[in-house]
Amino acid sequence: MKYTKVGAVSLGCSKNTVDTEIMLGELASLGFELVPDPGQAEIIIVNTCGFITSAKQDSLDTIIEMAEYKKTGPAKLLCVTGCLSQRYPRELSEELPEVDLFWGVRDYPAFAQKLFSLVSEGDVPSAKWLPTVPCCGAKRLISTPPYRAYLRIADGCDNRCTYCAIPLIRGGRVSVPMEKLVAEAAALAESGVTELTVIAQDTSAYGIDLYGKPMLAELLKKLSAIEKLRWIRVLYAYPNTVTEELVDTMRDDPKLCNYIDIPIQHITPRMLTRMNRHGSAEHIREIVDYIRRNAPDFILRTTVMTGFPGETEEDHQELMKFLRLHPFDRVGAFTYSAEDGTPAAEMPEQVDPEVAERRLDELMRLQQSVSLRLNRARVGREYTVLTESVGSDGRGEYLISRSYAEAPDVDGVIRVRPGEGKRFNKLILPGDYVKVRITGAQLYDLNAELIQEEKQ
Ligand code: SF4
């Protein structure tokens, strides 16, 4: 092969991370050598995000940055894949002549074959052995730390929220058959994964297209039966398919993290209707109250938006009041972004971006006080935590870790010390589970001391 060294930059969400992992698994199986630093690569792949304006700009900036390596480094080919490329193929190919290959969001095995045909000089693919796992008929190479991984259970979305470009990019929901997911999860567990994070654009609607009804609870039970898996977490659930049965299933199984991410986006009926959000404000209140009453250890995460067209100060204050009276442990918030091709972008009463920013500030300041209060309430409690890294500073050794209550890559961490005047007696490594007691709280992070060194 003319060029073999491949470097990839994966932008956007965890679903895109899985796409990048499939690309890398397929390329490795054709004999390409994967290099961690794109600056050392002969072939650079930028897997882009095209969700909102800021993410699109970030993708363009990254493409331009990587193109520089064709002038300054060993790079010979630049490939752009993913959501931005899927959404704007013609515009990008006109504006970015430095890109050699554009690919969308589908069929990454074919992408790998295409790249191979571009660089092979009649060579026969000779697979490089790397620990790939089967993923929907493709090979996937995990890019997260070896003890944790994402499991994407469906792609695309049928909800058609009026502000969202994802259905325009990824199409309607396509759930992965349960037996394939269980096989993928089992292979991940065999490869050393103990923490599995279940993702999709809308996880709680999983299976409606395949089985005629939501099947997330059934899938979680099957995943929980995989012996070597320890923590199974759910992100990106959709309010109207989060049921008491699903909550009870998660509460009653020790492997299923008492943690759920339910983006609500807003709470006033007027805003939910304009956003075309399915399910009512009443259902959101009921399911949050049900969780708080029946599953007190549950951690609730959500996402909200400010400045959606037509949002009044009353709507905003209603959302603030809701988050005060029904506190979430974790809140991600962003201002509305007018995306071309979406109904909301054509709506009247577009909100002044400065007003949207001011409302975002107010909301995040409220959430900081909520987060600190809820974190303080955890002081003194004991947890099993997963070690992510080990370090030391002027105060000695520490572990950066997470309990079931902290999702990877999006939530705070727990910094663990050996205890006053003590040292860690045993070698604790990333991926190890140890027992700790919370000793202090910050806005988003916690401090803890080790209480049991025996790996749990
Ligand atoms: S649920 Fe709404 S916001 Fe989320 S991916 Fe689907 S259409 Fe987009």
Side-chain angles (χ1 to χ4, degrees):
M1 286 200 282
K2 265 190 300 195
Y3 315 126
T4 57
K5 288 193 172 76
V6 174
V9 181
S10 188
L11 302 173
C13 67
S14 50
K15 283 102 31 181
N16 234 22
T17 303
V18 173
D19 280 342
T20 305
E21 292 175 349
I22 294 171
M23 267 188 258
L24 298 179
E26 288 292 326
L27 289 166
S29 71
L30 292 172
F32 288 95
E33 181 191 344
L34 308 178
V35 294
D37 172 8
Q40 302 308 315
E42 295 162 315
I43 302 169
I44 299 176
I45 301 169
V46 180
N47 192 21
T48 62
C49 175
F51 181 39
I52 53 176
T53 305
S54 56
K56 293 189 281 188
Q57 191 54 52
D58 184 34
S59 293
L60 288 171
D61 296 347
T62 305
I63 295 167
I64 305 297
E65 185 195 336
M66 292 302 122
E68 279 306 300
Y69 285 128
K70 289 177 77 176
K71 299 179 199 137
T72 60
K76 298 289 182 290
L77 290 179
L78 176 59
C79 309
V80 170
T81 65
C83 294
L84 189 73
S85 180
Q86 177 80 27
R87 193 170 172 194
Y88 304 107
R90 190 174 42 74
E91 296 85 341
L92 291 180
S93 56
E94 284 167 9
E95 286 162 25
L96 297 168
E98 55 271 61
V99 175
D100 304 284
L101 177 62
F102 286 101
W103 199 269
V105 296
R106 299 260 177 272
D107 200 354
Y108 287 114
F111 164 75
Q113 288 291 347
K114 173 77 180 172
L115 203 47
F116 182 78
S117 67
L118 283 180
V119 300
S120 70
E121 297 161 318
D123 306 311
V124 177
S126 57
K128 290 233 179 325
W129 187 87
L130 281 169
T132 59
V133 296
C135 175
C136 310
K139 299 180 188 66
R140 180 182 162 197
L141 192 69
I142 305 304
S143 63
T144 47
Y147 48 85
R148 63 178 171 91
Y150 292 105
L151 184 73
R152 184 176 59 193
I153 64 175
D155 197 12
C157 187
D158 289 342
N159 291 321
R160 308 266 162 202
C161 302
T162 53
Y163 53 83
C164 184
I166 291 173
L168 304 174
I169 300 169
R170 293 196 169 250
R173 180 189 336 101
V174 179
S175 297
V176 180
M178 207 173 286
E179 60 279 6
K180 286 197 175 169
L181 290 171
V182 173
E184 184 180 346
L188 288 167
E190 278 314 309
S191 75
V193 168
T194 58
E195 180 187 28
L196 197 66
T197 301
V198 172
I199 58 171
Q201 272 78 24
D202 175 356
T203 47
S204 48
Y206 168 73
I208 293 176
D209 51 305
L210 266 182
Y211 309 109
K213 61 177 181 164
M215 292 286 277
L216 180 59
E218 284 71 20
L219 172 64
L220 292 175
K221 289 175 194 160
K222 289 196 185 313
L223 296 176
S224 173
I226 299 171
E227 199 186 330
K228 290 184 178 172
L229 287 180
R230 200 163 166 153
W231 285 351
I232 299 159
R233 187 188 309 278
V234 174
L235 298 181
Y236 310 110
Y238 192 100
N240 73 333
T241 40
V242 175
T243 60
E244 296 180 3
E245 183 230 346
L246 177 63
V247 172
D248 295 352
T249 300
M250 295 173 73
R251 179 199 57 206
D252 301 340
D253 184 323
K255 278 194 184 178
L256 303 181
C257 293
N258 280 205
Y259 181 109
I260 192 161
D261 167 39
I262 314 175
I264 62 169
Q265 308 302 351
H266 214 291
I267 196 63
T268 66
R270 210 173 67 86
M271 281 292 103
L272 293 174
T273 304
R274 289 174 74 98
M275 290 176 168
N276 190 34
R277 296 288 293 178
H278 313 301
S280 66
E282 212 33 55
H283 173 75
I284 293 173
R285 283 190 175 83
E286 282 165 7
I287 201 68
V288 169
D289 290 349
Y290 179 83
I291 292 172
R292 291 305 188 204
R293 268 199 322 277
N294 298 282
D297 285 340
F298 246 74
I299 296 294
L300 279 175
R301 164 178 265 280
T302 193
T303 303
V304 293
M305 182 191 297
T306 65
F308 185 82
E311 185 190 47
T312 62
E313 193 54 31
E314 291 70 36
D315 289 315
H316 172 59
Q317 290 310 327
E318 185 65 29
L319 179 57
M320 294 276 286
K321 185 173 151 209
F322 171 74
L323 292 173
R324 220 177 279 120
L325 297 178
H326 301 266
F328 283 72
D329 304 271
R330 324 254 180 258
V331 173
F334 54 99
T335 56
Y336 165 72
S337 170
E339 292 306 312
D340 54 288
T342 65
E346 309 305 321
M347 282 183 185
E349 301 172 273
Q350 297 282 325
V351 173
D352 179 336
E354 280 182 20
V355 171
E357 281 299 336
R358 190 258 301 157
R359 289 175 183 167
L360 179 68
D361 278 354
E362 282 177 18
L363 214 145
M364 289 318 290
R365 264 184 277 115
L366 164 68
Q367 185 54 27
Q368 284 174 355
S369 64
V370 169
S371 179
L372 184 57
R373 177 166 54 77
L374 295 176
N375 270 355
R376 283 187 175 142
R378 294 173 63 188
V379 174
R381 290 190 58 182
E382 298 182 358
Y383 293 88
T384 295
V385 297
L386 170 56
T387 307
E388 289 267 31
S389 66
V390 182
S392 66
D393 59 14
R395 288 183 52 209
E397 302 164 302
Y398 61 79
L399 312 174
I400 295 295
S401 68
R402 290 179 292 107
S403 72
Y404 78 88
E406 290 80 33
D409 304 327
V410 289
D411 291 338
V413 295
I414 301 178
R415 185 183 288 259
V416 182
R417 304 252 179 207
E420 214 45 54
K422 296 184 190 156
R423 301 203 57 192
F424 294 130
N425 298 328
K426 290 197 172 59
L427 184 62
I428 300 171
L429 297 170
D432 288 344
Y433 292 80
V434 293
K435 195 132 192 183
V436 306
R437 180 181 302 111
I438 305 297
T439 55
Q442 284 117 47
L443 274 185
Y444 302 117
D445 296 338
L446 293 160
N447 295 329
E449 64 179 358
L450 191 70
I451 55 173
Q452 203 173 349
E453 218 151 338
E454 279 65 42
K455 294 170 187 172
Q456 306 290 301

